[in-house]
Amino acid sequence: MLPIRSYASDRMPTAAVLSIGDELVLGQITERNGGWLSAELLKLGLMVNEHRTVADDRLAICSALREMASRGALVVVTGGLGPTDDDLSREALADALGVELEEDGRALQNLLDVYRRRGRPMPVMNRKQALRPSGTRCIDNPHGTAPGIAARLGQSEVFLLPGPPNEMRPMFHDVVAPAVLGITARAGGLQIATASVHSCGLPESAAAQLIRPLMERGTNPLVGTTASGAVVTARIRAMGVAATDGALERAVQEVERAWAPYAFGRDGLTLPAALGEVLRRENAMLAVAESCTGGGVGAFVTSVPGSSCWFAGGFITYSNELKRELCGVSPALLAKHGAVSEEVARALAEGAADKCKCRFGLSVTGVAGPEGGSAEKPVGLVWVGLCDRGTGEAPVVTKARSFQLLGDRDTVRERIARVSLQWVRLAALGNGDVPLLWERPTQNVRA
Amino acid sequence: MLPIRSYASDRMPTAAVLSIGDELVLGQITERNGGWLSAELLKLGLMVNEHRTVADDRLAICSALREMASRGALVVVTGGLGPTDDDLSREALADALGVELEEDGRALQNLLDVYRRRGRPMPVMNRKQALRPSGTRCIDNPHGTAPGIAARLGQSEVFLLPGPPNEMRPMFHDVVAPAVLGITARAGGLQIATASVHSCGLPESAAAQLIRPLMERGTNPLVGTTASGAVVTARIRAMGVAATDGALERAVQEVERAWAPYAFGRDGLTLPAALGEVLRRENAMLAVAESCTGGGVGAFVTSVPGSSCWFAGGFITYSNELKRELCGVSPALLAKHGAVSEEVARALAEGAADKCKCRFGLSVTGVAGPEGGSAEKPVGLVWVGLCDRGTGEAPVVTKARSFQLLGDRDTVRERIARVSLQWVRLAALGNGDVPLLWERPTQNVRA
C-alpha cells in the first residue's frame, strides 16, 4: 500500500467553505460561492481543503461546522441567514458553540434603519436577523438585511455570510480577508502563490508532455494541467519559499516557452482578449460569417470590452438563402458542395471580409448535431474559412481547414469558436499554418 | 430556541456526493458533477443531503467517505481514479473499508484492450487503474481508461466514478441508477417528485406574490422560486403521497395559470426552444440585427436543434458602418440619435426583417459597459426593436422599447437576449404589449 500522505502540513493553515441551501444540495441551482471563495482565499495565501454543501437542516449544519472547524484555521459559511424558518445558520452555530442566541442591539438598529430608508415597517419575521449566538459578533451588511456573524469555534475562526454574492463578496473583503492575513502572518507569511498559463490548439496529452519535468510530483513550483473545451491550462502552484522568490514567474515563462505558439495568455486573460491584443497591434479588423455557431463567435469576441476597435461584426448565415444573399456565396457552389464544405467556408470568409471591409474574414460552417449528420459529413464536422486581405500590396489569401469534434451540440459549437479564434490569432502573428487540435488528418490547410 | 428539525426522516433514504480534486477545492476549475448528480438522483426519487469536495488527499477522502457513508444510503464519488500518484480514491476507499487493494483481472484485460485498440502499449502507470479494494467490484468505463468501483461501506452503497462528465454520466446511468431504484423500492417507493415552471419578464417578487399560497411552509407540494438572469423559475417539490397522486401536476398548472402569459415552459424547456414552438406553429421566421449582444441572441436561438425551421440568421452590426452598410440604417438617423436609440433600434429591426425576408426582425442596441456610458445613456441602457411584417394583408408594425439593466457586461448581454426573445414570443402569441422586466418606466412600446 502507498504511504498515506496528508495534504496540509502543520506549518500551513487551511480553510474550509460551507454552503447552505436545499436548492443547492438538490442541484436545482448551481452553487457558485464555494469556487469564488476558494479562489479568493488562495490569492490571500490560504488553501481551502474542503468545500461542503448541506441542506437547510439545523443538525446537518451544526455537524458540518464542528467537523470543519476541527480541521482548519478558518471556516467560511454562506447562506441560511435570511428571515424565514428555513434559515438556520445562526441556530446551528449556536448549537455548535453550545450557547443560546441573543439579540444584537446594533444589528437590530441597522435592520430598522434599512426599512426606514425603504419607507416601510420591518416585517416581524426579519427581527430574527438581529440574533447571534452569545459571545459572537455581528458583521455589517451594506447591501442587504442579513448581518453576518463572526465567531471562534475551537481553534478555528468561523464567519457566517449571506448567500447572495453581491452581499457576500464585499463582506468577505471587509472582514474575512483581514482575518486571513492574520492567520497567514501567524503561520510565517505567504505560504502559497499560484499562476496559470492558457493555451489553445494543443491536445492535453501533448501539452503535458511538453512540460513533463515541471509536472513531476515533488517539484516546487508544481504544474498541473486542466483541459476545458479547446483550452488547456497549466496551473502553477508555488509553496513555501518558492511562493515569494521568483520561482513562480520562472515556471510561468518556462511553460510559455514550451507551449509557443499555442500559449495565448496568463491568469484572467481570455482567448478573445488575447486575440484583440494582437489585432490591435496589427491594426487589423475582423469580420465573421457564422453558420453552425449562429453568432457564438461574435458573442465570444464581443465579450471583450473595447472589442469594437478590432471587430466590425458580420453575418449570421444560418440558412443557405442568407449564405447566398448576404455573403454572396454562389448557388452553384452550394448546390455542388453543400453548405458544410471547404468551398463554401472559403466563400463565406471572403464574403465577410469583403462586405465588412476588414482585413480578416472568418467563417464557420458545420454539422453541430444532434441531427443532420451523414456518412460523408458526420455530426461534429466543421469547416472553418479564413480570408486574409493582407496589408498594402499583399495578395488576398483564403484558406479553409476542417475539424472533427466530439461532444454534444453545445460542446461542438463552443470548441470550434475557440479553435477558430486561435487560428485568427496565429495567422495575425504569421503562424497560421501550425496544426490545430481536432483538425482532420487529411485536407489540412489547402490554400 | 427553535426545535431542532432534521431534514431526512427514517422513511426517506438520502444520498451524498463527494468530488475529489485539488483544482476543484482550490477554485481553479468549477465543480460541475455535484449539481448534475444531485439533479439526476432527485429525478430518481432520492434526495442528496450533502455535497462535499476535498483535495487529492488520501486521509481527507477516507474521512469523508466514512462520515458520508454513516449518514445515508448512497455515496457517489467522482474523480481520483486516474493513473497518477495524485489519484487516490481507490486507496482511500480501501482505507475506509480496512482492506488491501488487489488487481482485478477483468479490469486489467479491459485496460489492455483499450490500448490495443489505440495501437500503443499500455503505460506502466496505468496498470494501477485495474486495482480495487478487496471485496469490491469494478464498473466498466466504455469511454475512458479508468474503471469505476462499487462497494458497500457500512449501511451505504458507495460508487467511485471517474471525474470527466462524458465518462461519468453513462456509468451513472448504467450502474448507479439501478441501485437507486433498489434503494427507493426498499423504502416503499417514490418519496419525492419535482417539477419546474419557467417564466421570463416578471420580477421575482411579483412572480412570488402571484403564487404565494403555494409557497407557504408546510404546503405539499411546496413551491420555491429562483431567479437566474431574466428567468424566474418555480421549483415544485412533492413529498410522500403527493409525489404520485397527481398533486404535482395540479401545482404545475396552478403556477402556469398564475404566471400567464410570462410562463413559457416546464422542466428542461429553454426560452429559445419555447419561442421555436410558437414560431413553428405560426409558420413565422425570425431574423436578428445585433449590436451590443454581438451575436449572442443568434447563438442562444441556435442552441436549439432544428432552429433552422424558424430562424434564418441576420447581422452582427457591431460598428456603425455595418449598421449603415448591412442593415440600411440611414447615416442621418445615426448622426442625430446615436446608435443606442429608439430610431436606430427600429431601423435595425426593419433592416433585419426585410433583408432576410422574415416575418419578425429583432434588434438589440445598447451600452453593455463597463465603458461607453453617459448621463443620458448610462451603462445598461438597451433599446430593443421588433419589426412584424405580418401575414397576408396585415401592415408592417415596428416597435421599440428600452430597458435599464443592472450588472456587468456579461450579465447585461445575457439578460437582454432572454428578455428580447420573450418579447418576440409574446408578440407571436398576440401579447406583445404586456410589460417586461427592467423596462424603463417612460417610453414604453411606442409604435
Side-chain angles (χ1 to χ4, degrees):
Chain A
M1 241 205 250
L2 291 168
I4 295 184
R5 121 189 134 87
S6 184
Y7 191 61
S9 73
D10 285 347
R11 285 188 51 240
M12 187 177 295
T14 59
V17 174
L18 175 61
S19 307
I20 315 272
D22 284 1
E23 291 88 0
L24 301 176
V25 80
L26 292 175
Q28 295 181 315
I29 63 173
T30 304
E31 206 293 311
R32 296 185 191 281
N33 287 337
W36 185 86
L37 285 167
S38 287
E40 289 298 308
L41 288 166
L42 193 59
K43 280 187 220 161
L44 295 168
L46 194 58
M47 295 178 73
V48 169
N49 64 1
E50 180 178 342
H51 177 212
R52 205 184 285 200
T53 306
V54 300
D56 296 311
D57 176 334
R58 185 163 167 180
L59 268 181
I61 302 168
C62 174
S63 305
L65 281 171
R66 284 188 173 150
E67 288 168 7
M68 297 171 98
S70 73
R71 289 182 194 145
L74 177 75
V75 181
V76 183
V77 184
T78 62
L81 292 177
T84 75
D85 290 352
D86 266 349
D87 293 301
L88 296 164
S89 294
R90 288 174 209 86
E91 289 80 358
L93 178 60
D95 295 344
L97 290 163
V99 302
E100 300 289 314
L101 290 172
E102 58 188 32
E103 194 165 73
D104 186 287
R106 177 146 172 271
L108 180 62
Q109 194 53 54
N110 284 347
L111 268 174
L112 293 167
D113 287 349
V114 166
Y115 282 94
R116 209 189 41 238
R117 282 196 302 273
R118 293 182 184 177
R120 55 194 177 95
M122 182 177 79
V124 174
M125 72 194 309
N126 283 75
R127 182 155 187 153
K128 173 183 160 177
Q129 295 187 296
L131 295 175
R132 56 162 174 71
S134 177
T136 64
R137 66 190 170 84
C138 283
I139 304 169
D140 286 350
N141 178 351
H143 300 289
T145 58
I149 297 173
R152 173 162 284 274
L153 180 56
Q155 293 304 304
S156 180
E157 294 189 53
V158 176
F159 294 91
L160 307 193
L161 302 177
N166 66 317
E167 300 177 32
M168 181 275 284
R169 294 181 181 190
M171 293 168 79
F172 174 88
H173 288 303
D174 286 352
V175 178
V176 183
V180 171
L181 295 180
I183 290 169
T184 54
R186 285 193 294 278
L190 192 69
Q191 298 291 321
I192 184 167
T194 61
S196 55
V197 175
H198 310 292
S199 71
C200 179
L202 279 173
E204 188 178 14
S205 54
Q209 193 62 41
L210 288 167
I211 55 170
R212 197 153 192 185
L214 295 167
M215 295 179 72
E216 265 167 32
R217 229 176 135 65
T219 309
N220 186 14
L222 180 65
V223 181
T225 61
T226 51
S228 172
V231 173
V232 175
T233 295
R235 313 241 169 233
I236 307 158
R237 195 198 303 168
M239 316 269 280
V241 70
T244 47
D245 71 353
L248 184 68
E249 172 65 21
R250 288 191 297 277
V252 165
Q253 292 180 7
E254 207 167 325
V255 174
E256 287 176 333
R257 271 194 304 273
W259 283 1
Y262 298 97
F264 63 78
R266 298 180 181 186
D267 301 327
L269 193 78
T270 65
L271 178 55
L275 169 63
E277 286 183 2
V278 174
L279 292 182
R280 277 178 109 127
R281 204 161 56 223
E282 298 290 317
N283 207 17
M285 294 290 292
L286 173 68
V288 295
E290 303 188 50
S291 185
C292 66
T293 44
V297 175
F300 193 35
V301 161
T302 57
S303 67
V304 183
S307 45
S308 55
C309 295
W310 47 275
F311 179 71
F315 305 93
I316 304 172
T317 52
Y318 208 59
S319 71
N320 279 351
E321 190 178 348
L322 293 191
K323 289 181 182 71
R324 292 192 301 266
E325 305 253 322
L326 304 185
C327 266
V329 179
S330 89
L333 213 61
L334 273 164
K336 186 168 172 204
H337 302 285
V340 180
S341 64
E342 175 175 359
E343 291 76 8
V344 169
R346 291 164 52 99
L348 285 171
E350 287 171 2
D354 288 348
K355 290 184 192 294
C356 300
K357 301 189 181 70
C358 290
R359 174 168 160 198
F360 289 107
L362 174 70
S363 71
V364 184
T365 177
V367 187
E371 308 295 323
S374 66
E376 196 201 347
K377 297 182 179 178
V379 168
L381 170 66
V382 185
W383 276 96
V384 178
L386 181 60
C387 171
D388 181 354
R389 297 166 84 219
T391 50
E393 301 296 299
V396 175
V397 178
T398 306
K399 295 178 177 176
R401 52 212 291 183
S402 66
F403 299 83
Q404 182 63 53
L405 293 100
L406 291 176
D408 62 16
R409 182 177 179 86
D410 289 344
T411 304
V412 167
R413 288 163 24 111
E414 193 190 313
R415 289 182 174 182
I416 201 63
R418 283 171 167 67
V419 171
S420 63
L421 290 185
Q422 174 72 315
W423 188 18
V424 179
R425 178 180 164 277
L426 291 167
L429 290 168
N431 246 326
D433 290 345
V434 297
L436 287 170
L437 184 59
W438 298 312
E439 205 167 345
R440 295 202 304 180
T442 53
Q443 303 137 305
N444 278 3
V445 191
R446 286 159 56 180
Chain B
M1 247 205 249
L2 291 169
I4 295 183
R5 122 189 132 88
S6 184
Y7 192 59
S9 74
D10 286 344
R11 285 187 51 241
M12 186 176 296
T14 59
V17 174
L18 176 61
S19 308
I20 315 272
D22 284 1
E23 292 85 1
L24 301 175
V25 81
L26 291 176
Q28 295 180 316
I29 64 172
T30 304
E31 205 294 311
R32 295 185 191 282
N33 286 336
W36 186 86
L37 285 167
S38 286
E40 289 299 306
L41 288 166
L42 193 58
K43 281 188 217 160
L44 295 166
L46 194 58
M47 293 177 75
V48 169
N49 65 1
E50 180 178 342
H51 177 214
R52 204 184 286 198
T53 306
V54 300
D56 296 312
D57 175 336
R58 186 162 165 179
L59 269 182
I61 303 169
C62 175
S63 304
L65 281 171
R66 284 188 173 150
E67 288 168 5
M68 297 171 99
S70 74
R71 289 181 193 145
L74 177 76
V75 181
V76 183
V77 184
T78 62
L81 292 178
T84 75
D85 290 352
D86 267 348
D87 294 301
L88 296 164
S89 294
R90 289 175 209 85
E91 289 80 359
L93 178 60
D95 295 343
L97 290 163
V99 301
E100 298 290 314
L101 290 173
E102 58 188 32
E103 193 165 75
D104 186 286
R106 177 146 173 272
L108 180 62
Q109 195 53 55
N110 285 345
L111 267 174
L112 293 167
D113 288 348
V114 165
Y115 281 94
R116 211 189 41 240
R117 283 197 303 273
R118 293 183 184 175
R120 54 192 177 97
M122 183 177 80
V124 174
M125 73 194 307
N126 283 77
R127 182 155 187 151
K128 174 183 161 178
Q129 294 187 297
L131 296 176
R132 56 162 174 70
S134 177
T136 64
R137 66 189 170 84
C138 283
I139 305 169
D140 287 349
N141 178 353
H143 301 287
T145 58
I149 298 173
R152 172 162 286 273
L153 179 58
Q155 294 303 303
S156 181
E157 295 189 52
V158 176
F159 294 91
L160 308 193
L161 302 177
N166 65 317
E167 300 178 29
M168 181 275 284
R169 294 181 181 188
M171 294 168 78
F172 175 87
H173 288 303
D174 286 353
V175 178
V176 184
V180 171
L181 295 180
I183 290 169
T184 54
R186 286 194 293 279
L190 194 69
Q191 298 290 320
I192 185 168
T194 61
S196 54
V197 175
H198 310 291
S199 70
C200 179
L202 278 173
E204 187 177 15
S205 55
Q209 193 62 41
L210 287 167
I211 56 170
R212 195 152 194 187
L214 295 167
M215 295 179 71
E216 265 168 31
R217 225 178 138 64
T219 309
N220 186 13
L222 180 65
V223 181
T225 60
T226 52
S228 172
V231 172
V232 176
T233 295
R235 314 242 169 232
I236 308 159
R237 193 198 307 169
M239 315 270 282
V241 71
T244 47
D245 72 352
L248 185 67
E249 171 65 21
R250 287 192 297 277
V252 165
Q253 292 180 8
E254 208 168 324
V255 173
E256 287 177 332
R257 271 195 303 274
W259 284 0
Y262 298 97
F264 63 79
R266 297 180 182 187
D267 301 327
L269 193 78
T270 65
L271 179 55
L275 168 63
E277 287 183 3
V278 174
L279 292 182
R280 277 178 109 127
R281 206 162 55 225
E282 297 290 318
N283 207 16
M285 294 290 289
L286 172 68
V288 296
E290 303 189 49
S291 184
C292 65
T293 45
V297 175
F300 193 36
V301 160
T302 57
S303 67
V304 182
S307 45
S308 54
C309 294
W310 48 274
F311 179 72
F315 304 94
I316 304 172
T317 52
Y318 208 58
S319 70
N320 279 352
E321 190 178 349
L322 292 190
K323 290 180 182 71
R324 291 191 301 266
E325 305 255 320
L326 304 184
C327 265
V329 179
S330 89
L333 214 60
L334 272 164
K336 185 168 172 202
H337 302 286
V340 180
S341 64
E342 176 176 0
E343 291 76 9
V344 170
R346 291 164 53 100
L348 285 170
E350 286 173 1
D354 288 348
K355 291 185 193 293
C356 301
K357 301 190 181 68
C358 290
R359 175 169 157 196
F360 289 107
L362 174 70
S363 71
V364 184
T365 177
V367 187
E371 308 296 322
S374 65
E376 196 201 347
K377 296 181 180 179
V379 168
L381 170 66
V382 184
W383 276 96
V384 178
L386 182 59
C387 170
D388 182 354
R389 296 164 85 219
T391 52
E393 301 297 298
V396 175
V397 178
T398 305
K399 295 178 177 177
R401 52 211 293 183
S402 66
F403 299 83
Q404 182 63 52
L405 293 99
L406 292 177
D408 62 16
R409 183 176 178 88
D410 289 345
T411 304
V412 166
R413 288 162 25 111
E414 194 190 313
R415 290 181 174 183
I416 201 63
R418 282 171 168 67
V419 171
S420 63
L421 290 185
Q422 174 73 313
W423 187 18
V424 180
R425 179 181 163 274
L426 290 167
L429 289 168
N431 245 327
D433 291 344
V434 296
L436 286 170
L437 185 59
W438 299 311
E439 205 166 345
R440 293 203 304 181
T442 51
Q443 303 137 303
N444 278 4
V445 193
R446 285 160 55 180

